[in-house]
Amino acid sequence: MLSSFGQTVKVSVFGGSHEPAIGVTIEGLPKGQKIDMDRLQRFLARRAPGNNAFSTDRKEPDIAIVKAGLHGGVTFGPPVTIIIENKDTNPSDYRTLKNIPRPSHADYTARLKYGEHLNMSGGGPFSGRMTAPLCIAGAIAIQVLESHGIKIGAHIFSIADIKDEPFDAVHISKEKLERLANDPFPVISENAGLAMQEAILVSRETGDSLGGVVECCAIGVPAGIGGPMYDGVESALSQVFFGIPAVKGVEFGAGFQSTRLKGSENNDAFYFDGEEENRTVKTKTNNHGGILGGITSGMPIIARLAFKPTPSISLEQDSVDLETGQNTKLVITGRHDPCIVPRAVPVVEAAMAVGLLDLILSDK
Amino acid sequence: MLSSFGQTVKVSVFGGSHEPAIGVTIEGLPKGQKIDMDRLQRFLARRAPGNNAFSTDRKEPDIAIVKAGLHGGVTFGPPVTIIIENKDTNPSDYRTLKNIPRPSHADYTARLKYGEHLNMSGGGPFSGRMTAPLCIAGAIAIQVLESHGIKIGAHIFSIADIKDEPFDAVHISKEKLERLANDPFPVISENAGLAMQEAILVSRETGDSLGGVVECCAIGVPAGIGGPMYDGVESALSQVFFGIPAVKGVEFGAGFQSTRLKGSENNDAFYFDGEEENRTVKTKTNNHGGILGGITSGMPIIARLAFKPTPSISLEQDSVDLETGQNTKLVITGRHDPCIVPRAVPVVEAAMAVGLLDLILSDK
Amino acid sequence: MLSSFGQTVKVSVFGGSHEPAIGVTIEGLPKGQKIDMDRLQRFLARRAPGNNAFSTDRKEPDIAIVKAGLHGGVTFGPPVTIIIENKDTNPSDYRTLKNIPRPSHADYTARLKYGEHLNMSGGGPFSGRMTAPLCIAGAIAIQVLESHGIKIGAHIFSIADIKDEPFDAVHISKEKLERLANDPFPVISENAGLAMQEAILVSRETGDSLGGVVECCAIGVPAGIGGPMYDGVESALSQVFFGIPAVKGVEFGAGFQSTRLKGSENNDAFYFDGEEENRTVKTKTNNHGGILGGITSGMPIIARLAFKPTPSISLEQDSVDLETGQNTKLVITGRHDPCIVPRAVPVVEAAMAVGLLDLILSDK
Amino acid sequence: MLSSFGQTVKVSVFGGSHEPAIGVTIEGLPKGQKIDMDRLQRFLARRAPGNNAFSTDRKEPDIAIVKAGLHGGVTFGPPVTIIIENKDTNPSDYRTLKNIPRPSHADYTARLKYGEHLNMSGGGPFSGRMTAPLCIAGAIAIQVLESHGIKIGAHIFSIADIKDEPFDAVHISKEKLERLANDPFPVISENAGLAMQEAILVSRETGDSLGGVVECCAIGVPAGIGGPMYDGVESALSQVFFGIPAVKGVEFGAGFQSTRLKGSENNDAFYFDGEEENRTVKTKTNNHGGILGGITSGMPIIARLAFKPTPSISLEQDSVDLETGQNTKLVITGRHDPCIVPRAVPVVEAAMAVGLLDLILSDK
């Protein structure tokens, strides 16, 4: 099992929900970069559970501890290693599930792969908790990108069939992205947000769960990053995006919707923007999501990630008992997120940030 | 610019539409594998243009010539290199476009990246023609996979808003996949196919273009391949899929549709299938597309790829003249596919085959 | 700066001599492997300074703390992360050297590369202390290799011009390697060892330093591991060997000596060894050091590494003051190893073990 | 079997001595680089056999044919693929050896690894002929490096125990390197050269063979390239050097000789060179071979490679018959180099050039 990705900025994640620690090593960061650890800590808090009624009320105090790579809060070349010590590693809550895999969870395939050796209590390396180290790397990447004038933001695009307004793919202001980053339930339309919250509460009461889509963007990315074919921006970002648990679809720009448009509708006309001296080439629409031929165009990069509904539900389900070899019924007890999507928003931002930073620093 | 991917089976593509040759080097194939070159040649022909009214009538005779790595048609360890000599490399057709980038094509970003050095005539490394080397690698991977009992197939899932029947994600027969592989316009529903062909002809007449979705599956893949996080099957396959020109979205299993389901609807219940001795764990539904926690479950692997409409249309479009610095109008002449989707079907199969073979041979 | 190597078993080192911790993450270890942490700790102690009069009397308590990847002392698939907390990180001893680079030390080139951002106190990432994480990885690799019947050992081949007896390259017993592993000053010839110790003590008194050669072997390695060209055993091992600070030369088998032999003298004749049924192909001599064409032959693998004399000496030296721009004299104070070679022996074993394990597990 | 190396400049070699072609794909070259193909062809000729009495009189016309990646002789971003068609692939000369491995040749280990599938006639992927594609890549890298002011050169340092004068490691002039590049038997001391040639002729007459050492240098390499540990210059270069067939040892700077020096003798004192404004830091001696802590110091880079004597000799040797399972005698007929060292000189230059170019272009 490999747990790393990246060419220039290599991110390597380790640990699990019931090991002594989880953490991340990041190689290849530019030297001399000041990292604001308070801000990193606040970013981590956005992912943490128990912040409000829409998530599980488990408490995981995620304190990022720098072990290596920063002198006075500044990178200086060698890899940065940051860990989170696990306080509560009592696996008792999960023990009854050991031989009965939860439907659509990784229990079954993890057992196939790791057999007796993997204590799946709490999800092990498949735990949603493993997105915390990604968020640490992302919080750092976000700070590095901002020093290059690049800003990343995301919002809940949809929960079940309740849709937020999409990003205006042509004009996205830094202010809007900052407002979203400070919103515990980040949506563009207040009404859509209220309807989503209502749906999540209903889902929680019925013991069921909901999925949704997160839309993420990056503005200020220079044109000309990436390359054709397997070196392209979509290839690189999708690899990181699909590394987030529960993601089952990724699209850029108009994505699947573009397949229902004619070429004359989908094509983004070029024009010169700005005065004589500073004119830059832009597109009137942005169905290409800021990427043409695998290379950034200078327009905002737009991606949407589909999160399936949380597989852990309280309703009785059909499953198998791998010990007895019999079909059986399963009722999962314990505390679970009725909808992972709100907590996934910073994770998607982190993935976008880390992926983009690697692309930019790898670019020739 | 890197043009390679893969961990164990490394595929490295070279050449361009107006260079002496295009080709591919494949490292890491198992030794002793017989490669049927006639079958490879027939697979290549499925991608070739000019086969019928639904594609461009340009003729590109794609003859695969083995340069290295096969003795008597059998792999023996060292890398396999196969090339296609380019016969017709007269760039005159394309020359007028030089300073006026085609909207939603890679012309503009390619120029940003490669500047004066890239002769973009015919698309260079961005040309759809570069999918031919991928098809060579795919045709080989398909043959290797078949010797492991794995079969890959694909069909046109939709063109514009005309939908074919989807694969039955739980039961897909080898026979159905073989029938599709021999169908010049591979669809499951004959009526849907006729409607699609009609729509393409109308589009051609109006000088416009259409996009669509290709659905691809793999059956017989052993359970337990892949790993959590960035080592997962979706991460690996999506990297190859997004390397295909014009792909703007990738989803696995129920994909984006799963975000509109409740957990109780989306979860795939486990059950024991078969007699006492040979019973295997299966799922009653297959919304997970054969992949749970990044690891194969043994159920069919299902992926869908969104192809945007071909950007080359005959209608007048707004663009910029990069030499004069003025906004301008552009009319593209010459022969173009009104819809790339039918020719993309074998390309998607090739990408799935190469990606899966690398995953399987890299698996520990 | 990248700090990792390996294809299947990826070793990633982090931290520095005056950071909170140093440590290592090892991906790709086989699952279900029991790791004896006491034995690992004893292996680490062999590298630690202050054990006897032949090394510096600085004390660095190197306690290996498992942070992730072991359950009940057993690997289970995910990466293993082990750290050593740094107790004494007071950089005052080193501060005066800041602008005057020590001759033949990495001070000057480190400053070129990392500039103001690198606090070179204590050597930073260039410190010999960074071999401790390699020894952790090596101690684990040694245990994994032993479960495959492979044994690794090393001895001091020479200090200055005092030579130990070389390994008998054809027959090396497990017992001899075990005896060497328990010897605080591992040599084959007792007399040579006494002469070396005497030379080191003299060198210490005169404020000078000595270099030497470490000879390392691996027995029980299966024949057929590796591959031609850049995939060969020598290529892979030398990359790790030259990653050890102070190594300036690496040779396999007869190495540089083979260039002074005729083909008829250097060629290792094949013969069948053993009874009818179990006969194996062996060579009468082993000038090839167990590697032919980049592939293991089944004979013992033999490598020798040249360690230059420690650059830190007490004698006055010529250097430059990078702040004033003037040539200057430098006198280094503080405690230093008069000869690093004895402490390098387990480091070389660790490098050989990690490199070989990666080769074996990557082999197809 | 992987046949590629490099991070930014990836070199991938394919083909074999009795396949249709041999060739190389080079990814990651800077765009806009003019490649002088005539000069490349002349470089290839230096490696070709049959040029004089000191090598085999087999004739292999090595004509480099560009298949992809150059427009008008200029790189433009995509990978460069160049092949050499094999004219004379009649394997009859070698057939009798099939079941009797030549001592110290790769026959035996190749058979272990590739079994029946590898037609070892002519050496297959183990053939010295596979250094021709490396020379193609090297000839290109040399031209790119020269446009950065870097010059590479090499000479025969020794044949058996006859030694040439070494490079003056502190001052090496461009002119000297150019003279060596045009010398069919490149040595610094004319007398040493004559003695070597005499020794080779004697060796040929007696049916034996000789080995030797090649010394290679690079001048003009900027200071600050590389990094500590596994990212160091020695690690990267040695991986390529040991990929050359017959290389059994690699050393940098004073190498193994430094182990016999005291620290006070081996340390290279720093001083300021040049006038006030343009003063640069240099060292009075260059025992470090231009590399300190894995990072270039700005002094000439010096490496020496040990080539074992050619294993193919005419004298009768002991071997085994792998078919009959009996010990046997072997007499090799046919034409063979009595000493590969003179032809290895451009190969070493090529390896140094490709390795250095990758290091420089990968450097952050």
Side-chain angles (χ1 to χ4, degrees):
Chain A
M1 179 185 139
L2 297 176
S3 307
S4 54
F5 63 90
Q7 289 191 356
T8 298
V9 179
K10 293 201 187 178
V11 173
S12 174
V13 167
F14 53 83
S17 40
H18 287 277
E19 299 196 66
I22 56 176
V24 64
T25 294
I26 312 160
E27 301 177 64
L29 287 171
K31 53 205 178 214
Q33 181 76 38
K34 172 87 189 158
I35 304 301
D36 180 339
M37 289 300 293
D38 290 339
R39 196 176 154 201
L40 182 150
Q41 196 60 55
R42 287 196 303 275
F43 186 80
L44 264 188
R46 288 176 59 201
R47 192 211 70 90
N51 285 330
N52 52 47
F54 317 115
S55 74
T56 169
D57 50 4
R58 256 178 302 138
K59 288 286 181 196
E60 306 166 24
D62 286 349
I63 310 297
I65 303 166
V66 177
K67 284 293 176 190
L70 295 180
H71 275 189
V74 177
T75 62
F76 61 103
V80 173
T81 297
I82 297 179
I83 70 168
I84 297 170
E85 302 276 358
N86 284 326
K87 299 300 177 202
D88 172 20
T89 58
N90 181 351
S92 61
D93 286 2
Y94 302 89
R95 205 168 290 161
T96 54
L97 300 171
K98 206 181 150 207
N99 293 307
I100 306 175
R102 290 166 291 178
S104 290
H105 211 282
D107 296 354
Y108 172 63
T109 53
R111 188 186 175 110
L112 281 177
K113 189 149 200 93
Y114 300 113
E116 302 301 311
H117 307 303
L118 178 61
N119 181 351
M120 276 299 295
S121 56
F126 299 88
S127 165
R129 184 151 169 67
M130 294 310 292
T131 55
L134 175 60
C135 281
I136 292 174
I140 290 175
I142 283 169
Q143 295 185 32
V144 179
L145 288 172
E146 286 190 6
S147 69
H148 287 75
I150 297 166
K151 184 89 190 163
I152 282 176
H155 70 113
I156 305 171
F157 182 82
S158 66
I159 299 275
D161 48 15
I162 307 165
K163 285 199 174 173
D164 191 16
E165 287 172 30
F167 277 129
D168 172 349
V170 175
H171 300 102
I172 304 174
S173 72
K174 211 179 260 201
E175 291 68 35
K176 172 167 276 178
L177 299 185
E178 266 155 21
R179 190 186 63 66
L180 287 170
N182 290 313
D183 189 338
F185 197 93
V187 285
I188 294 172
S189 152
E190 206 179 325
N191 284 341
L194 293 173
M196 290 172 180
Q197 294 179 25
E198 176 65 24
I200 295 173
L201 291 177
V202 169
S203 179
R204 152 171 290 197
E205 272 164 45
T206 57
D208 213 330
S209 68
L210 296 178
V213 175
V214 173
E215 185 177 52
C216 187
C217 75
I219 58 175
V221 179
I225 303 293
M229 298 195 290
Y230 318 106
D231 206 29
V233 173
E234 290 111 328
S235 282
L237 292 182
S238 68
Q239 193 199 359
V240 191
F241 286 153
F242 277 115
I244 303 172
V247 171
K248 296 302 279 187
V250 170
E251 61 180 8
F252 295 91
F256 279 88
Q257 175 60 18
S258 74
T259 70
R260 290 181 282 271
L261 301 177
K262 294 176 186 174
S264 57
E265 295 163 336
N266 186 64
N267 282 1
D268 298 313
F270 289 110
Y271 72 100
F272 278 110
D273 186 59
E275 293 305 309
E276 212 46 38
E277 297 295 285
N278 299 312
R279 55 172 41 170
T280 57
V281 174
K282 291 197 173 168
T283 59
K284 295 177 187 174
T285 48
N286 185 11
N287 291 319
H288 69 289
I291 309 164
L292 286 174
I295 299 174
T296 56
S297 69
M299 296 297 291
I301 294 179
I302 309 278
R304 275 176 301 280
L305 285 72
F307 287 82
K308 70 178 182 183
T310 323
S312 291
I313 57 176
S314 307
L315 300 171
E316 187 184 79
Q317 298 180 84
D318 288 329
S319 186
V320 290
D321 187 320
L322 295 169
E323 201 170 41
T324 64
Q326 299 301 316
N327 293 331
T328 185
K329 299 287 182 184
L330 171 70
V331 176
I332 306 171
T333 56
R335 303 153 298 175
H336 301 288
D337 279 297
C339 181
I340 204 75
V341 181
R343 288 178 59 202
V345 172
V347 177
V348 173
E349 293 173 22
M352 173 82 105
V354 170
L356 267 184
L357 183 62
D358 184 41
L359 278 163
I360 289 170
L361 295 182
S362 299
D363 205 65
K364 301 287 168 191
Chain B
M1 178 186 138
L2 297 175
S3 307
S4 53
F5 62 90
Q7 289 190 356
T8 298
V9 179
K10 293 201 187 178
V11 172
S12 174
V13 167
F14 53 84
S17 40
H18 288 277
E19 299 196 65
I22 56 178
V24 63
T25 293
I26 312 160
E27 302 176 64
L29 288 171
K31 51 203 180 217
Q33 181 76 38
K34 173 85 188 157
I35 305 301
D36 180 338
M37 288 301 294
D38 289 339
R39 194 175 155 202
L40 182 149
Q41 196 60 55
R42 287 196 301 277
F43 186 80
L44 264 189
R46 288 177 59 202
R47 193 211 69 90
N51 286 331
N52 53 44
F54 317 115
S55 73
T56 168
D57 49 6
R58 257 177 303 138
K59 288 284 180 196
E60 305 168 24
D62 286 349
I63 310 297
I65 302 166
V66 177
K67 284 292 176 189
L70 296 179
H71 276 189
V74 177
T75 62
F76 62 102
V80 173
T81 298
I82 298 179
I83 70 169
I84 298 171
E85 303 274 359
N86 284 326
K87 300 298 179 204
D88 172 19
T89 58
N90 179 352
S92 60
D93 287 2
Y94 301 89
R95 205 169 288 162
T96 54
L97 300 170
K98 205 181 153 207
N99 293 306
I100 306 176
R102 289 167 291 177
S104 289
H105 211 281
D107 296 353
Y108 172 63
T109 54
R111 189 186 174 110
L112 281 176
K113 190 151 200 91
Y114 299 112
E116 302 302 310
H117 308 303
L118 178 59
N119 180 352
M120 278 299 295
S121 54
F126 298 89
S127 165
R129 183 149 169 70
M130 294 312 292
T131 56
L134 175 61
C135 281
I136 292 175
I140 290 175
I142 283 169
Q143 295 186 30
V144 179
L145 288 172
E146 286 189 6
S147 69
H148 288 74
I150 297 165
K151 183 90 188 162
I152 283 176
H155 69 113
I156 305 172
F157 181 81
S158 66
I159 299 275
D161 47 16
I162 307 165
K163 285 197 175 175
D164 191 15
E165 285 172 32
F167 278 130
D168 173 350
V170 175
H171 300 102
I172 305 174
S173 72
K174 213 180 261 201
E175 292 67 35
K176 172 166 277 181
L177 299 184
E178 265 155 23
R179 190 185 63 65
L180 286 170
N182 291 312
D183 189 338
F185 197 94
V187 285
I188 295 172
S189 153
E190 204 178 328
N191 284 341
L194 292 173
M196 290 172 181
Q197 293 179 24
E198 176 66 23
I200 295 173
L201 291 177
V202 168
S203 180
R204 152 171 290 198
E205 273 165 44
T206 57
D208 214 331
S209 68
L210 296 178
V213 175
V214 173
E215 186 177 52
C216 187
C217 76
I219 58 174
V221 179
I225 303 292
M229 297 197 291
Y230 317 105
D231 206 29
V233 173
E234 290 112 328
S235 282
L237 292 182
S238 69
Q239 194 199 357
V240 191
F241 286 154
F242 276 116
I244 303 172
V247 170
K248 297 303 280 187
V250 170
E251 61 180 9
F252 296 91
F256 279 88
Q257 175 58 19
S258 74
T259 69
R260 290 180 283 269
L261 301 177
K262 295 176 185 173
S264 57
E265 295 163 335
N266 185 64
N267 281 1
D268 298 314
F270 290 110
Y271 72 100
F272 278 110
D273 186 59
E275 293 305 309
E276 215 43 41
E277 297 297 284
N278 299 311
R279 56 173 39 173
T280 56
V281 174
K282 291 197 174 170
T283 59
K284 296 178 187 174
T285 48
N286 186 11
N287 290 320
H288 69 289
I291 309 163
L292 286 173
I295 298 174
T296 55
S297 69
M299 296 296 290
I301 295 179
I302 308 279
R304 275 177 300 281
L305 286 72
F307 287 83
K308 69 179 183 184
T310 324
S312 291
I313 57 176
S314 307
L315 301 171
E316 186 184 79
Q317 298 180 84
D318 288 330
S319 185
V320 289
D321 186 319
L322 295 168
E323 200 171 42
T324 65
Q326 299 301 317
N327 293 330
T328 186
K329 300 288 181 183
L330 171 70
V331 176
I332 306 172
T333 57
R335 304 153 297 174
H336 303 287
D337 279 296
C339 181
I340 204 75
V341 179
R343 289 178 57 201
V345 171
V347 178
V348 173
E349 293 173 22
M352 173 81 106
V354 170
L356 267 184
L357 183 63
D358 183 42
L359 278 162
I360 290 169
L361 295 182
S362 299
D363 205 65
K364 302 285 168 189
Chain C
M1 178 185 138
L2 297 175
S3 305
S4 53
F5 62 91
Q7 288 189 358
T8 298
V9 179
K10 294 200 185 178
V11 172
S12 174
V13 166
F14 53 83
S17 41
H18 287 278
E19 299 196 65
I22 57 176
V24 64
T25 293
I26 312 159
E27 302 177 63
L29 287 171
K31 52 204 178 213
Q33 180 76 38
K34 173 85 188 158
I35 304 301
D36 180 339
M37 287 301 294
D38 290 339
R39 196 176 154 199
L40 182 150
Q41 194 62 53
R42 287 196 303 276
F43 187 81
L44 263 189
R46 289 176 58 202
R47 193 211 69 91
N51 286 331
N52 54 45
F54 317 114
S55 72
T56 169
D57 50 5
R58 255 177 305 138
K59 288 283 182 199
E60 306 167 25
D62 285 347
I63 310 298
I65 302 165
V66 178
K67 285 292 177 190
L70 295 179
H71 275 189
V74 177
T75 62
F76 62 102
V80 173
T81 297
I82 297 179
I83 70 169
I84 297 170
E85 303 274 358
N86 284 327
K87 299 299 179 204
D88 172 18
T89 58
N90 180 350
S92 61
D93 287 2
Y94 301 88
R95 205 167 291 163
T96 54
L97 300 169
K98 205 182 152 206
N99 294 307
I100 305 176
R102 289 167 291 178
S104 289
H105 210 282
D107 296 353
Y108 172 63
T109 53
R111 188 186 175 110
L112 280 177
K113 188 149 200 93
Y114 300 114
E116 303 301 311
H117 308 303
L118 179 60
N119 181 353
M120 276 299 295
S121 55
F126 298 88
S127 166
R129 185 152 168 67
M130 294 312 292
T131 55
L134 175 61
C135 281
I136 293 175
I140 290 175
I142 283 169
Q143 295 186 30
V144 179
L145 288 172
E146 286 189 7
S147 68
H148 288 74
I150 297 165
K151 184 90 187 160
I152 282 175
H155 70 112
I156 306 172
F157 181 82
S158 66
I159 300 274
D161 47 16
I162 307 164
K163 285 200 174 174
D164 192 15
E165 286 172 31
F167 278 130
D168 173 350
V170 175
H171 300 104
I172 305 174
S173 72
K174 214 179 261 201
E175 292 66 34
K176 172 166 276 180
L177 300 185
E178 265 155 21
R179 189 186 64 67
L180 286 170
N182 290 314
D183 190 338
F185 197 93
V187 285
I188 294 172
S189 153
E190 206 180 326
N191 285 341
L194 292 172
M196 289 172 181
Q197 294 177 25
E198 176 66 21
I200 295 173
L201 291 175
V202 168
S203 179
R204 151 171 291 197
E205 273 164 44
T206 57
D208 214 330
S209 68
L210 296 178
V213 175
V214 173
E215 186 178 51
C216 186
C217 75
I219 57 175
V221 179
I225 303 293
M229 298 198 288
Y230 318 104
D231 205 29
V233 173
E234 290 112 329
S235 282
L237 292 182
S238 69
Q239 193 199 1
V240 191
F241 286 153
F242 277 115
I244 303 172
V247 172
K248 297 302 279 187
V250 170
E251 61 180 10
F252 296 90
F256 279 88
Q257 175 59 17
S258 73
T259 69
R260 290 181 282 271
L261 301 177
K262 294 177 187 171
S264 56
E265 296 164 335
N266 185 64
N267 281 1
D268 299 313
F270 290 110
Y271 72 101
F272 278 111
D273 186 59
E275 293 305 309
E276 210 51 35
E277 297 296 285
N278 299 311
R279 54 172 41 171
T280 56
V281 174
K282 291 197 174 169
T283 60
K284 296 177 187 173
T285 48
N286 185 12
N287 291 319
H288 69 289
I291 308 163
L292 285 173
I295 299 175
T296 56
S297 69
M299 295 298 290
I301 294 178
I302 309 279
R304 276 177 302 280
L305 285 71
F307 287 82
K308 69 178 182 184
T310 324
S312 292
I313 57 176
S314 307
L315 301 170
E316 187 184 77
Q317 298 180 84
D318 289 329
S319 187
V320 290
D321 187 320
L322 295 168
E323 201 170 40
T324 66
Q326 299 301 317
N327 293 329
T328 185
K329 299 286 182 186
L330 172 70
V331 176
I332 306 173
T333 58
R335 303 153 297 176
H336 303 288
D337 279 297
C339 181
I340 202 75
V341 180
R343 288 178 57 202
V345 172
V347 178
V348 173
E349 293 173 21
M352 173 82 106
V354 171
L356 266 184
L357 183 63
D358 184 41
L359 278 163
I360 289 169
L361 295 183
S362 300
D363 205 64
K364 300 287 167 190
Chain D
M1 178 187 139
L2 297 175
S3 307
S4 53
F5 63 90
Q7 288 189 358
T8 298
V9 178
K10 295 202 185 175
V11 172
S12 175
V13 167
F14 54 83
S17 41
H18 288 278
E19 299 197 66
I22 56 177
V24 63
T25 293
I26 312 159
E27 302 176 64
L29 288 172
K31 54 203 176 213
Q33 181 76 38
K34 173 84 188 160
I35 305 301
D36 180 339
M37 289 300 294
D38 289 340
R39 197 177 151 198
L40 182 150
Q41 195 61 54
R42 287 195 302 277
F43 187 81
L44 264 188
R46 290 176 58 201
R47 192 210 72 89
N51 286 330
N52 53 45
F54 318 114
S55 72
T56 169
D57 50 4
R58 256 177 303 137
K59 288 284 182 197
E60 308 167 24
D62 287 347
I63 310 296
I65 302 166
V66 177
K67 283 294 177 190
L70 296 179
H71 276 188
V74 177
T75 62
F76 61 102
V80 172
T81 298
I82 297 179
I83 71 169
I84 297 170
E85 303 275 358
N86 284 327
K87 299 298 178 206
D88 172 19
T89 57
N90 182 350
S92 60
D93 285 2
Y94 301 90
R95 208 169 287 161
T96 55
L97 301 169
K98 207 181 150 207
N99 293 309
I100 306 175
R102 289 166 292 177
S104 290
H105 211 282
D107 296 354
Y108 172 62
T109 53
R111 189 186 173 109
L112 281 176
K113 190 150 198 93
Y114 300 112
E116 302 301 311
H117 307 303
L118 179 60
N119 181 352
M120 276 300 294
S121 55
F126 299 88
S127 166
R129 184 150 169 69
M130 294 312 291
T131 55
L134 175 59
C135 282
I136 292 175
I140 290 175
I142 283 170
Q143 295 186 30
V144 179
L145 288 172
E146 286 190 5
S147 69
H148 288 73
I150 298 165
K151 184 90 189 161
I152 283 176
H155 69 113
I156 305 171
F157 181 81
S158 66
I159 299 274
D161 48 16
I162 307 165
K163 284 198 175 175
D164 192 15
E165 286 172 32
F167 278 130
D168 173 350
V170 174
H171 300 103
I172 304 174
S173 71
K174 211 179 262 200
E175 291 67 35
K176 173 167 276 180
L177 300 184
E178 264 156 22
R179 190 186 63 68
L180 287 169
N182 290 314
D183 190 338
F185 197 93
V187 285
I188 295 172
S189 152
E190 207 179 325
N191 285 341
L194 292 173
M196 290 171 180
Q197 294 178 24
E198 176 66 23
I200 295 173
L201 291 177
V202 169
S203 179
R204 152 171 291 197
E205 272 165 45
T206 58
D208 215 330
S209 68
L210 297 178
V213 174
V214 173
E215 185 176 54
C216 186
C217 75
I219 57 174
V221 179
I225 303 294
M229 298 198 289
Y230 318 106
D231 205 29
V233 173
E234 289 112 329
S235 282
L237 292 182
S238 69
Q239 194 199 358
V240 191
F241 287 153
F242 276 115
I244 303 172
V247 171
K248 297 302 279 188
V250 169
E251 62 180 10
F252 296 91
F256 280 87
Q257 175 59 18
S258 73
T259 70
R260 290 181 283 270
L261 302 178
K262 294 177 185 171
S264 58
E265 295 164 335
N266 186 64
N267 282 0
D268 298 314
F270 290 111
Y271 73 101
F272 278 110
D273 186 60
E275 294 304 309
E276 215 42 43
E277 297 296 285
N278 299 312
R279 54 173 40 171
T280 56
V281 174
K282 292 198 173 168
T283 60
K284 295 177 188 174
T285 48
N286 185 12
N287 291 320
H288 69 289
I291 309 165
L292 285 173
I295 299 174
T296 56
S297 69
M299 296 297 291
I301 294 178
I302 309 278
R304 274 177 302 281
L305 285 71
F307 286 83
K308 68 177 183 185
T310 324
S312 292
I313 58 176
S314 307
L315 301 170
E316 187 185 78
Q317 299 181 85
D318 289 329
S319 186
V320 290
D321 187 319
L322 295 168
E323 201 170 40
T324 65
Q326 299 301 316
N327 294 330
T328 186
K329 299 286 182 186
L330 172 70
V331 176
I332 306 172
T333 57
R335 304 152 297 173
H336 302 287
D337 279 297
C339 181
I340 204 76
V341 180
R343 288 178 57 201
V345 172
V347 178
V348 173
E349 294 173 22
M352 173 82 106
V354 170
L356 267 185
L357 183 63
D358 184 40
L359 278 163
I360 290 170
L361 295 182
S362 299
D363 205 65
K364 302 287 169 191

